[in-house]
Amino acid sequence: MKSDRMNAFLHDGKGVLLAYDQGLEHGPSTDFNDKNIDPSFVMDLAVRGGFSGVIFQKGVAERFYDGKVPLIVKVNGKSALVKGDPVSRQVCSVEYAISLGAKGIGYTIYLGSEHEATMFREFGRIQEEAHERGLPAIAWVYPRGAGVANDTAKEIVSYASRSALELGADAAKIKYTGDPDSFSWAVKAAAGMKVFMSGGPKAPTDEAFLLQVQGAMDAGAAGLAVGRNAWQNANPLKMADSLRKVIFERVRVEKLVSGTSP
Ligand code: FBP
């Protein structure tokens, strides 16, 4: 039966994780401003915003992780500069991530890439090592490459969550399909493995983003792993507060927005 390795990141089975590896994945000029380019700003947001986990690459963890929120170290990564079907290779060992304080190991798999076999094999090794050490292996499963036409289609997103299950992940971070109905199929495909909605680029309004999160939760997600929609927000603590209400208390977004939430 499934284990409770994810418990370090969950309250009543739900969690909200703050992701900050975009400096490598996208480059600082794409996503950062004068405030959020400083990893201390995001570490502080993770603590004061009540996040259930924070996600760093090892270099940021080494210098900025303060131990106050459970840590996930992303152990693979790539830049946005390489073209063609993506491959993201290991850049940090499980052992080293643990020495930095990691309570979870993160790994991105580009499902459908011509290099997926490389990432499957590497994730397999990392997942086994993480489990031997009692840590969860969290798979970012992003369908991508020439063979993937629409990475938010129901059949593609459910393929992502199911692949994470089959590959032994304790949780999968997947893109939102756009509505609770179709996302619930991706949750079902995960067969009890925890599913986290991936935040994505900043939504036009706070309400629009919160509605996506609500939709994912209505569909049975365990929570959210968010980066840009949190630390790019003009008032990130208020956004964090709203996310906690939607995820943990299941306050409806309409109530939050009209200011009549309990
Ligand atoms: P966001 O909420 O900012 O989308 O962060 C989630 C995340 O998975 C990050 O961990 C990662 O850096 C980024 O998205 C990758 O985005 P993409 O591959 O879609 O460009």
Side-chain angles (χ1 to χ4, degrees):
M1 243 334 249
K2 56 188 171 19
S3 77
D4 51 5
R5 289 185 201 96
M6 281 301 291
N7 278 353
F9 299 100
L10 302 173
H11 309 286
D12 290 335
K14 303 189 185 82
V16 56
L17 309 170
L18 189 62
Y20 188 68
D21 59 338
Q22 292 80 354
L24 177 62
E25 298 295 327
H26 301 153
S29 306
T30 305
D31 287 343
F32 296 164
N33 61 24
D34 277 350
K35 268 191 192 163
N36 60 36
I37 196 166
D38 178 0
S40 315
F41 174 82
V42 172
M43 185 66 249
D44 183 62
L45 173 61
V47 177
R48 296 205 293 144
F51 283 86
S52 11
V54 66
I55 301 157
F56 291 143
Q57 283 280 357
K58 74 170 175 183
V60 170
E62 276 173 343
R63 290 168 188 268
F64 295 94
Y65 180 57
D66 71 5
K68 293 182 182 156
V69 169
L71 172 68
I72 295 167
V73 172
K74 265 293 299 291
V75 297
N76 68 337
K78 67 161 192 53
S79 81
L81 301 175
V82 183
K83 300 302 169 206
D85 270 22
V87 60
S88 183
R89 296 294 304 261
Q90 185 170 11
V91 293
C92 176
S93 68
V94 170
E95 195 181 345
Y96 195 70
I98 292 171
S99 78
L100 296 173
K103 298 282 181 284
I105 302 297
Y107 188 98
T108 300
I109 296 168
Y110 294 109
L111 188 72
S113 163
E114 65 183 29
H115 308 292
E116 73 170 21
T118 302
M119 293 171 277
F120 282 3
R121 189 169 58 240
E122 209 167 69
F123 177 72
R125 223 177 7 80
I126 284 162
Q127 179 261 12
E128 287 168 21
E129 203 180 331
H131 286 186
E132 275 162 22
R133 308 291 294 265
L135 267 68
I138 301 138
W140 281 223
V141 189
Y142 292 162
R144 204 161 290 178
V148 179
N150 177 2
D151 68 352
T152 58
K154 173 182 174 181
E155 53 283 5
I156 292 291
V157 176
S158 55
Y159 208 158
S161 60
R162 186 65 180 210
S163 302
L165 170 78
E166 309 247 358
L167 293 168
D170 298 275
K173 186 163 171 321
I174 55 173
K175 307 254 176 204
Y176 189 50
T177 52
D179 66 88
D181 226 35
S182 55
F183 200 72
S184 70
W185 181 242
V187 172
K188 275 204 186 80
M193 183 201 63
K194 300 289 180 196
V195 168
F196 288 80
M197 177 189 131
S198 179
K202 192 156 176 308
T205 63
D206 290 1
E207 183 181 5
F209 183 62
L210 291 167
L211 284 169
Q212 289 178 33
V213 177
Q214 175 172 283
M217 297 307 294
D218 288 350
L224 169 75
V226 60
R228 291 164 284 181
N229 276 287
W231 44 254
Q232 283 181 353
N233 194 286
N235 190 343
L237 285 174
K238 180 164 175 268
M239 174 50 88
D241 185 58
S242 301
L243 289 173
R244 287 199 316 274
K245 288 194 167 101
V246 170
I247 291 169
F248 296 111
E249 298 167 34
R250 303 305 330 276
V251 174
R252 304 309 288 175
V253 174
E254 313 79 73
K255 285 193 174 169
L256 267 183
V257 170
S258 66
T260 56
S261 68

